[in-house]
Amino acid sequence: MLMRTDPFRELDRFAQQMLGTATPGTWSKPAAMPMDAYRDGEEFVVCFDLPGVTPDAIELDIERNVLTVKAERRPVPGGDVQMQVSERPLGVFSRQLFLGDTLDTEHISAGYEAGVLTLRIPIAEKAKPRRIDIAGTTGDRKEIRA
């Protein structure tokens, strides 16, 4: 249903641990947005953790079964702010999901509550199990003796 590929994710995580994420006063590339994905009945659900991101700073795009989630965590507004501790990374970051053909990408719904972006993607009708009737006439039955 969902194909995930990010060959540089582990390399980025290692570099951030070894080199730090940012120098004071600069924006950095935030860590990858953690997600959960699961099937719930007739739909596929994906949840992204985006704490500190306002709903207007989130973009969702889909093109050829590739879903792109882009978000921006902005600095605290105000010109007189003197940051004492800055551990939450700022900046623009994104994540792509390759959706299988078994999902109905025309009817995706999105909700954002308590810093969690939740996408609900229905399972396509063609992917649902169905019964196939067998055609034939009852007059053509033959008895088999063993």
Side-chain angles (χ1 to χ4, degrees), residues 71 96 109:
Q96 289 187 322
S109 64

Side-chain angles (χ1 to χ4, degrees), residues 84-99:
Q84 300 300 310
V85 177
S86 180
E87 295 180 349
R88 298 182 341 162
L90 303 173
V92 177
F93 50 105
S94 68
R95 186 149 186 190
Q96 289 187 322
L97 299 177
F98 297 89
L99 305 177

Side-chain angles (χ1 to χ4, degrees), residues 1-75:
M1 301 252 176
L2 176 72
M3 297 172 279
R4 185 176 84 173
T5 178
D6 189 357
F8 301 105
R9 184 174 180 190
E10 291 301 317
L11 184 61
D12 285 345
R13 185 178 298 149
F14 178 72
Q16 286 179 353
Q17 287 175 350
M18 298 308 290
L19 304 174
T21 56
T23 57
T26 63
W27 284 32
S28 67
K29 179 182 177 195
M33 42 179 129
M35 73 168 206
D36 290 335
Y38 56 91
R39 182 173 177 166
D40 182 16
E42 298 296 314
E43 61 186 4
F44 196 69
V45 181
V46 185
C47 301
F48 295 94
D49 284 349
L50 298 171
V53 176
T54 59
D56 65 327
I58 301 171
E59 291 180 24
L60 296 172
D61 295 311
I62 188 157
E63 183 178 345
R64 295 185 181 177
N65 286 3
V66 177
L67 175 71
T68 303
V69 180
K70 186 177 176 183
E72 179 180 7
R73 187 174 295 120
R74 299 175 179 141

Side-chain angles (χ1 to χ4, degrees), residues 80-131:
D80 199 25
V81 174
Q82 294 180 357
M83 189 64 71
Q84 300 300 310
V85 177
S86 180
E87 295 180 349
R88 298 182 341 162
L90 303 173
V92 177
F93 50 105
S94 68
R95 186 149 186 190
Q96 289 187 322
L97 299 177
F98 297 89
L99 305 177
D101 291 332
T102 58
L103 299 174
D104 183 0
T105 57
E106 297 294 322
H107 296 97
I108 296 175
S109 64
Y112 187 67
E113 185 176 339
V116 178
L117 174 65
T118 302
L119 305 178
R120 296 188 173 278
I121 311 166
I123 305 297
E125 287 298 321
K126 65 182 179 182
K128 294 179 183 176
R130 61 189 178 279
R131 200 168 213 14

